[in-house]
Structure formats: structure tokens, C-alpha cells
Amino acid sequence: MATRQEVLDWCRENLQVNLFKDYAPNGLQVEGREKVNKIVTSVTASKAAIDFAVEQGADMLLVHHGMFWKSEPLTITGWKKERIETLLQHQINMVGYHLPLDAHPEWGNNAQLAALLDWESDYQCGDQNLLNVGRLKTVQTLQQLSEGMADKLQRQPVVVGDMKREIKRIAWCTGGAQGFFQTAIDEGVDAYVTGEISEAQYHLANECGVAFIGAGHHATERYGVQALAKAIQDVFQVEIYRFDEQNPA
């Protein structure tokens, strides 16, 4: 068993939270009990994830997508009130790490996606070094690459490009990072992978000849929080439970 503050201090130091300029708070977002023995992980602090944490008797809900985003209203009403009320009633700490978890070289979403799909990362670039540039270990066609991703991620990706084209150099950033596509193009890759696609990326892919793969925001970001929780478990000997839901976005 650990204290809440011990877990928070360890995460802050190892994720290097202070290096990131984020648009959501990183760390403790809703305070619960002081002692932590059971942790539930989830991509998002949804009501379903919170209810699962209650069922497990968890002391902490550890997520990638927390609450209190800069773009949201400041008032605590409706769905936000229901989530927070449940957390407070059951004294569950809700802890979220956003960009620091995307970027971590071992536990991060980008690193974990590469490990799952057997990609090699050569370097990071772009805003806050969130874009990874690397290569496939063996040359594949875009068709083969997309089929392999669909199998591993359990979700059919959106693919724009010549399905017969050979892919060797690749760039990726999990989640909603379609805005990095031009940076990936400038790095000279054959394909760019992220979670979401917007209207503009269809045209860029066709006009620049670089394939675009939107593999799912949720699907590409399942693995970082699980890796972080495993590291916490190794240090503090706490129990870990995983919550997942088939979010198609």
C-alpha cells in the first residue's frame, strides 16, 4: 500500500510533468482517500470507468483523459457533476496524465503503440517532441500495414493513399494529432498514423503522396496508461484493474 502523495510524486518526477505545456491539469484532479491499494486504469475518466472503479473498491482511477479541459465550461453541472459526485462519495482519487503520458519514451502512448505494432522509433520532433519518426522493421504495402493495425487495435482504420504503395519510413502520434500531418510530410515519411482524421487530411494525403491512417483516438491510446500502472505496481505493490470500452472514435 502507498500513500496518494507518494504515487503522485513518483509520477510527476518520472513523467517529467513540469516540462510540458498542456491544456488540462496533470496529476490529481479529484481528491479521494489518502491510502492507495487498488488502482483502476482507463483511457478516459468516463462515468462508466468511474462506476467500474466503484465496483472494484478502487482507491484511485488513473487515466489519460481526465476532466477540466480548457475548452470546457467551468461550472460543475450535468455529466461533470455526476462524475465528480460519484468520485467524492466513494473517496476515489482521480489522477490524469495527458501530454506527459503521450511522450514518455517507455510508458507513453507513442512508445507503446510502436511496441505493439513492432515499429522502430528514430527520433521525436514537432510541438513538444510529440511526433515520432521511425520505420517499419520490414517493408509492407499500405494494405498490409492497415490490415495489421486493424488486427492489433481491434478497429478498422481510415486509410487514405495507394494501398499498393510500399511503406518503410513512418511517423506517428496517438490521439487527435491530425494537425501534425504536414510536419510528418516534411520529414519525408511514407505514411503518417494518428487517431483521428479531419477533412483537410484527405486532400493533403492525395496531393502529397504520403499515406494517412486514422486508427482511432481511443484505440491508439489504450496502452500508455496500462504501462504506467504496471510501473506503479512494480514500485508500490498495489493492485491494478483495467477498464476498457469499445469506443469507436
Side-chain angles (χ1 to χ4, degrees):
M1 182 176 292
T3 67
R4 174 183 61 240
Q5 198 59 50
E6 285 173 337
V7 175
L8 293 173
D9 289 346
W10 185 90
C11 287
R12 183 177 64 250
E13 178 181 355
N14 285 279
L15 292 174
Q16 297 185 292
V17 168
N18 294 336
L19 296 182
F20 292 86
K21 184 179 180 181
D22 214 331
Y23 38 94
N26 287 291
L28 184 65
Q29 295 188 9
V30 178
E31 185 176 306
R33 62 180 62 90
E34 182 181 356
K35 298 292 185 180
V36 176
N37 184 50
K38 293 182 180 181
I39 297 177
V40 165
T41 70
S42 176
V43 175
T44 299
S46 64
K47 186 60 163 59
I50 294 169
D51 289 342
F52 179 82
V54 171
E55 292 170 5
Q56 304 310 310
D59 308 299
M60 180 177 289
L61 175 62
L62 180 66
V63 301
H64 178 51
H65 301 138
M67 293 188 279
F68 311 109
W69 302 90
K70 287 183 179 179
S71 60
E72 291 179 354
L74 296 177
T75 53
I76 300 176
T77 59
W79 61 268
K80 185 175 288 187
K81 180 256 187 185
E82 291 183 9
R83 292 185 192 181
I84 294 173
E85 185 175 53
T86 303
L87 289 166
L88 292 175
Q89 284 177 345
H90 296 274
Q91 288 290 289
I92 298 172
N93 297 284
M94 196 278 282
V95 177
Y97 295 100
H98 187 231
L99 296 184
L101 187 55
D102 285 322
H104 192 274
E106 181 180 355
W107 312 317
N109 286 314
N110 286 327
Q112 289 294 309
L113 184 67
L116 177 72
L117 298 173
D118 203 26
W119 301 342
E120 293 281 357
S121 179
D122 293 330
Y123 60 90
Q124 290 76 44
C125 62
D127 183 38
Q128 304 189 76
N129 282 330
L130 290 168
L131 181 67
N132 281 242
V133 179
R135 54 206 148 78
L136 307 184
K137 291 183 179 179
T138 57
V139 176
Q140 300 177 40
T141 65
L142 182 59
Q143 180 74 40
Q144 291 171 326
L145 176 61
S146 63
E147 288 176 353
M149 292 179 65
D151 179 60
K152 290 289 182 66
L153 297 176
Q154 302 168 36
R155 183 190 190 279
Q156 190 64 41
V158 176
V159 183
V160 183
D162 180 358
M163 301 302 283
K164 297 180 181 179
R165 179 180 177 176
E166 290 190 341
I167 306 297
K168 180 61 176 179
R169 293 197 73 224
I170 190 168
W172 66 95
C173 183
T174 64
Q178 57 268 56
F180 285 169
F181 189 26
Q182 183 62 59
T183 304
I185 292 169
D186 294 341
E187 294 298 316
V189 300
D190 303 310
Y192 175 59
V193 177
T194 187
E196 300 181 12
I197 184 170
S198 297
E199 194 271 347
Q201 283 79 57
Y202 170 82
H203 302 290
L204 277 178
N206 284 329
E207 294 170 24
C208 297
V210 177
F212 185 98
I213 301 177
H217 194 137
H218 180 92
T220 59
E221 295 195 326
R222 284 191 181 110
Y223 308 102
V225 72
Q226 295 176 31
L228 175 60
K230 179 61 170 62
I232 293 171
Q233 184 180 47
D234 290 343
V235 173
F236 296 105
Q237 287 77 55
V238 295
E239 298 178 40
I240 301 294
Y241 301 86
R242 179 171 67 90
F243 175 78
D244 192 33
E245 47 195 331
Q246 291 301 314
N247 186 337

